[in-house]
Amino acid sequence: MTERDMPALQRFLGSGKWFRSLPPALQNAILTRSTLQFFSKGQVVTLEDSPPKGVYAVIRGRVHLVREIATGDEALVNVGEPGYWFGVFSTLTGQATLVTAVAQSPARLLFLPKSHVDQLIAEEPRYFAPLAKLALDRYAAMLRVVSECRDLAPERRARVRLAAISRMRAQDMPGAGPVPISVSQGDLARMVGISRQTMNQILARLRRDGLIRIGFRRISVVDVNRLAEPAPRRTSRDRQSSAQASRPISRLRGGRANW
């Protein structure tokens, strides 16, 4: 990374809550000791259960974080968009990498090697706390999702997951207006653990209720607080209206939703 890249990267990453909260000296140290890496679509960034490489930040593109479950399938844990950091937990603890990160589009990532993180903390032990805060915040957010989704109906699980993703996205790249999330209907269904058809119906209801907007491979959360509230009980008339409202989604592109 050249010196010409640093001001623009500092401004970009500084719009995120975590990086902005770091001491200026730590911000500069991270940038000066990092490199920019480029990944093509489908290329693996980190591999589950492998030794930790270091800390990454998505600068451009999109990264899927997945983990293998007992059935041998892959569970989609999160979708990393520009401003998203990952790899901190394994880097700080030295434990094996928790998830596999795969570029879902051509991606440009900032990379801070583990050896440089270790050196930073050795030089200034006080830097451990702000670095660990990112991992702890992610843990707290995931714990809330797991506890709130326990034994919940599909719509409630979907609302909780969307609200959590929206809040995390707002911290990574805050801005006015609805929070855009670059996630497909199928990917969101995988994250919630329901069928794509069920997710289609749920999203149609949320759109009808004014909680989200739906675009091509993108969902914009309009009101995250209402989204996180328990879903209201629906009458038979509500269910009939919801079924009718779900039809336009599946007709967006030639009779199929191109998510």
Side-chain angles (χ1 to χ4, degrees):
M1 181 170 58
T2 66
E3 292 186 2
R4 293 175 58 185
D5 296 318
M6 288 187 57
L9 283 172
Q10 192 154 19
R11 287 193 300 271
F12 173 77
L13 295 171
S15 60
K17 181 178 179 180
W18 176 72
F19 192 80
R20 186 173 63 249
S21 71
L22 300 180
L26 180 53
Q27 290 185 16
N28 290 331
I30 289 174
L31 291 176
T32 55
R33 302 186 191 204
S34 296
T35 60
L36 287 173
Q37 296 188 348
F38 299 86
F39 295 85
S40 57
K41 182 178 179 179
Q43 188 173 356
V44 173
V45 181
T46 62
L47 192 62
E48 178 183 344
D49 291 333
S50 65
K53 292 182 177 180
V55 179
Y56 293 86
V58 181
I59 305 300
R60 185 181 304 159
R62 189 171 68 255
V63 174
H64 275 192
L65 306 179
V66 299
R67 182 171 176 82
E68 186 175 338
I69 56 179
T71 60
D73 296 325
E74 287 186 339
L76 180 60
V77 177
N78 213 339
V79 177
E81 297 189 74
Y84 183 81
W85 294 82
F86 63 96
V88 178
F89 174 83
S90 298
T91 298
L92 291 181
T93 62
Q95 297 183 23
T97 303
L98 293 174
V99 295
T100 294
V102 183
Q104 289 300 299
S105 67
R108 185 186 190 201
L109 307 182
L110 184 80
F111 174 58
L112 179 63
K114 184 182 185 305
S115 59
H116 291 185
V117 175
D118 293 342
Q119 186 178 10
L120 278 173
I121 295 173
E123 294 172 356
E124 181 48 85
R126 288 180 299 177
Y127 286 164
F128 181 86
L131 290 169
K133 185 179 185 301
L134 177 61
L136 292 173
D137 285 347
R138 294 281 166 78
Y139 172 79
M142 189 58 63
L143 182 63
R144 283 194 295 269
V145 169
V146 171
S147 60
E148 291 179 19
C149 286
R150 181 180 175 84
D151 299 327
L152 291 179
E155 179 168 343
R156 180 61 182 149
R157 297 207 310 270
R159 290 167 71 115
V160 167
R161 198 72 174 94
L162 261 178
I165 297 171
S166 175
R167 285 171 172 151
M168 186 180 297
R169 179 65 182 146
Q171 289 186 354
D172 292 337
M173 285 287 116
V179 180
I181 305 169
S182 296
V183 60
S184 73
Q185 177 193 11
D187 289 340
L188 188 57
R190 287 172 60 199
M191 296 174 79
V192 178
I194 59 178
S195 70
R196 179 169 170 167
Q197 182 179 10
T198 300
M199 180 58 70
N200 181 286
Q201 296 168 353
I202 291 172
L203 293 177
R205 288 197 291 266
L206 297 180
R207 180 179 65 174
R208 188 200 64 182
D209 292 341
L211 300 179
I212 64 172
R213 297 173 186 168
I214 298 175
F216 181 64
R217 290 188 174 272
R218 182 174 292 268
I219 299 172
S220 295
V221 176
V222 176
D223 191 331
V224 67
N225 292 324
R226 282 182 58 207
L227 184 66
E229 293 173 355
R233 290 194 173 188
R234 299 182 181 274
T235 65
S236 58
R237 179 176 297 180
D238 290 332
R239 287 191 289 270
Q240 184 178 7
S241 299
S242 295
Q244 294 174 349
S246 68
R247 292 173 187 168
I249 295 181
S250 62
R251 294 176 180 172
L252 287 176
R253 301 268 178 170
R256 294 183 60 190
N258 283 318
W259 293 63

